[in-house]
């Protein structure tokens, strides 16, 4: 039996607007095994970041269930929620806006240590901060530096140190390298992998970069307008993409060879509105293979091969 650190069941998050309810996350279910990385990919606005925030209870869900180590977390409040947050952390996309610009590196990394009562005094806190800085590759001379004095890579390392400070078991990485140069991206990804190997961490890795997610993830979930449309291992997804949306995404990945070209799948048609969507496939208006059935009823996520689930009425044809 798989040792699941996270179980998400029928999770929904709707936002009220003057035009109706935006279905940002709509009936999402999956499990994450301990020590593995789940990559979540999709277009901007598909609900990736909202899903991560709802799992961590930074945003309260409309309905559904999130179990962490077998315990329900959606109804937690106060001290119970604070204790849960010690085990579930987040690395944000923009390292500059996610850390306090008025505090030094020592104060920023030391804050979670103080909040969760991990250190007893100032000297112990500074010693622990120096250990964390060494772990994430920050020079000791930067301990009293302010965020504006650091480049993007170093600021992101500060964010990673904050997440690691409380020794969590699960971290949501919300596009942690998208704002960084390619060479810095590689350093941060290698650092995260090394931390996972040493500490047995489990990651939910949110990104729109399919090349990065293929390198970093064990499993991949493809989202479209609030729903998971395909989910399987990284190897299976790239070897045999089944959902028409996944096929279109993979066709856009550039090939790093001179003169090499990939046959692009160009998506035409209108993007469905996430506001009170009808019970139909949300990709149908852009799909090359849509039928009347696709336009009348939304397909559920169904296993088409062992460990490979797809939400498409015609999945068995591809």
């Amino acid at each position: 039996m798989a040792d699941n650190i996270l179980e998400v069941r029928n999770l929904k998050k709707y936002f009220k607007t003057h035009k109706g309810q935006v279905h940002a996350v709509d009936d999402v279910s999956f499990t994450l095994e301990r020590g593995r990385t789940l990559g979540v990919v999709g277009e901007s606005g598909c609900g990736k970041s909202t899903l991560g925030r709802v799992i961590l209870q930074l945003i309260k869900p409309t309905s559904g269930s999130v179990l962490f180590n077998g315990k329900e977390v959606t109804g937690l409040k106060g001290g119970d929620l604070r204790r849960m947050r010690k085990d579930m952390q987040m690395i944000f996309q923009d390292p500059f806006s996610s850390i306090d610009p008025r505090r030094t590196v020592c104060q920023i990394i030391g804050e979670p240590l103080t909040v969760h009562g991990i250190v007893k005094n100032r000297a112990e806190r500074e010693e622990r901060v120096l250990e964390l800085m060494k772990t994430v590759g920050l020079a000791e001379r930067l301990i009293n530096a302010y965020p504006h004095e650091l480049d993007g890579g170093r600021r992101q390392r500060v964010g990673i140190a904050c997440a690691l400070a409380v020794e969590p078991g699960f971290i949501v990485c919300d596009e942690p390298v998208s704002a960084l140069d390619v060479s810095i991206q590689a350093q941060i990804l290698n650092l995260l992998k090394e931390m996972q190997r040493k500490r047995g961490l489990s990651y939910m890795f949110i990104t729109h970069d399919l090349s990065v997610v293929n390198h970093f993830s064990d499993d991949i979930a493809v989202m479209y307008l609030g729903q998971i449309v395909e989910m399987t291992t990284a190897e299976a997804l790239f070897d045999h993409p089944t959902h028409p949306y996944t096929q279109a995404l993979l066709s856009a990945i550039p090939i790093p060879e001179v003169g090499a070209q990939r046959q692009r799948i160009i998506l035409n048609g209108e993007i469905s509105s996430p506001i009170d969507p009808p019970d139909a496939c949300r990709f149908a208006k852009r799909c090359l293979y849509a039928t009347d059935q696709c336009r009348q009823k939304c397909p559920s996520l169904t296993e088409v091969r062992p460990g490979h689930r797809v939400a498409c009425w015609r999945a068995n044809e591809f």
Side-chain angles (χ1 to χ4, degrees):
M1 184 176 178
D3 180 17
N4 295 325
I5 191 172
L6 184 71
E7 296 180 42
V8 176
R9 300 173 180 171
N10 307 111
L11 195 63
K12 298 181 181 180
K13 179 58 186 179
Y14 301 163
F15 294 98
K16 291 182 179 179
T17 70
H18 66 283
K19 292 184 177 181
Q21 292 194 102
V22 175
H23 291 215
V25 176
D26 203 358
D27 202 21
V28 168
S29 299
F30 66 86
T31 59
L32 174 62
E33 289 185 32
R34 195 177 309 277
R36 290 178 69 87
T37 298
L38 172 67
V40 182
V41 299
E43 296 172 338
S44 296
C46 71
K48 306 185 300 295
S49 295
T50 302
L51 175 62
R53 285 166 167 76
V54 172
I55 288 172
L56 295 184
Q57 304 303 293
L58 299 177
I59 304 173
K60 290 297 181 182
T62 302
S63 64
S65 174
V66 177
L67 282 82
F68 180 72
N69 285 326
K71 296 179 180 179
E72 181 64 60
V73 302
T74 53
L76 295 181
K77 297 179 181 179
D80 291 334
L81 182 59
R82 189 179 299 110
R83 282 187 289 274
M84 181 277 296
R85 290 239 170 93
K86 183 176 179 293
D87 296 321
M88 302 172 74
Q89 287 289 304
M90 188 165 195
I91 300 170
F92 294 91
Q93 177 178 359
D94 184 355
F96 195 69
S97 63
S98 63
I99 55 182
D100 191 338
R102 299 169 296 179
R103 294 193 170 198
T104 65
V105 169
C106 183
Q107 292 170 329
I108 293 167
I109 299 175
E111 183 176 17
L113 297 171
T114 303
V115 169
H116 291 282
I118 295 172
V119 294
K120 298 177 181 179
N121 52 56
R122 184 174 179 177
E124 191 176 331
R125 183 182 71 174
E126 185 169 325
E127 181 182 354
R128 179 67 179 137
V129 167
L130 287 171
E131 289 178 9
L132 287 162
M133 289 178 66
K134 183 178 180 181
T135 297
V136 300
L138 283 171
E140 186 176 327
R141 61 182 172 79
L142 299 174
I143 191 167
N144 292 315
Y146 287 87
H148 73 271
E149 299 176 303
L150 307 176
D151 61 26
R154 288 190 176 96
R155 284 198 291 264
Q156 192 61 286
R157 289 172 189 270
V158 172
I160 294 171
C162 287
L164 294 175
V166 292
E167 298 185 354
F170 170 65
I171 300 178
V172 174
C173 305
D174 187 8
E175 302 201 37
V177 297
S178 63
L180 306 177
D181 294 337
V182 174
S183 60
I184 305 300
Q185 285 186 16
Q187 293 175 19
I188 297 299
L189 291 174
N190 290 334
L191 171 62
L192 291 172
K193 271 293 186 184
E194 181 68 10
M195 292 301 98
Q196 184 177 46
R197 186 185 65 80
K198 288 182 176 179
R199 304 186 179 206
L201 295 171
S202 305
Y203 293 135
M204 177 176 163
F205 190 84
I206 299 168
T207 184
H208 60 267
D209 190 328
L210 283 160
S211 298
V212 168
V213 82
N214 183 33
H215 165 74
F216 192 78
S217 302
D218 299 301
D219 306 292
I220 298 177
V222 180
M223 288 191 70
Y224 186 79
L225 288 181
Q227 297 180 326
I228 292 178
V229 296
E230 186 163 3
M231 186 171 182
T232 184
T233 64
E235 182 180 4
L237 188 86
F238 278 78
D239 286 348
H240 198 157
T242 301
H243 196 281
Y245 177 62
T246 307
Q247 294 172 0
L249 285 181
L250 295 186
S251 77
I253 301 175
I255 301 174
E257 295 178 14
V258 177
Q261 292 185 345
R262 195 188 303 271
Q263 184 175 356
R264 285 293 310 276
I265 299 174
I266 307 299
L267 297 178
N268 298 309
E270 179 186 354
I271 299 176
S272 299
S273 172
I275 298 176
D276 297 325
D279 183 22
C281 175
R282 296 178 189 181
F283 187 63
K285 293 181 180 179
R286 304 172 74 190
C287 184
L288 300 172
Y289 313 104
T291 64
D292 289 341
Q293 184 183 29
C294 304
R295 301 181 184 95
Q296 293 170 2
K297 188 172 178 59
C298 185
S300 59
L301 204 59
T302 305
E303 191 169 65
V304 294
R305 285 176 293 278
H308 194 153
R309 296 187 294 156
V310 183
C312 178
W313 290 117
R314 304 185 64 182
N316 290 322
E317 301 176 27
F318 303 128

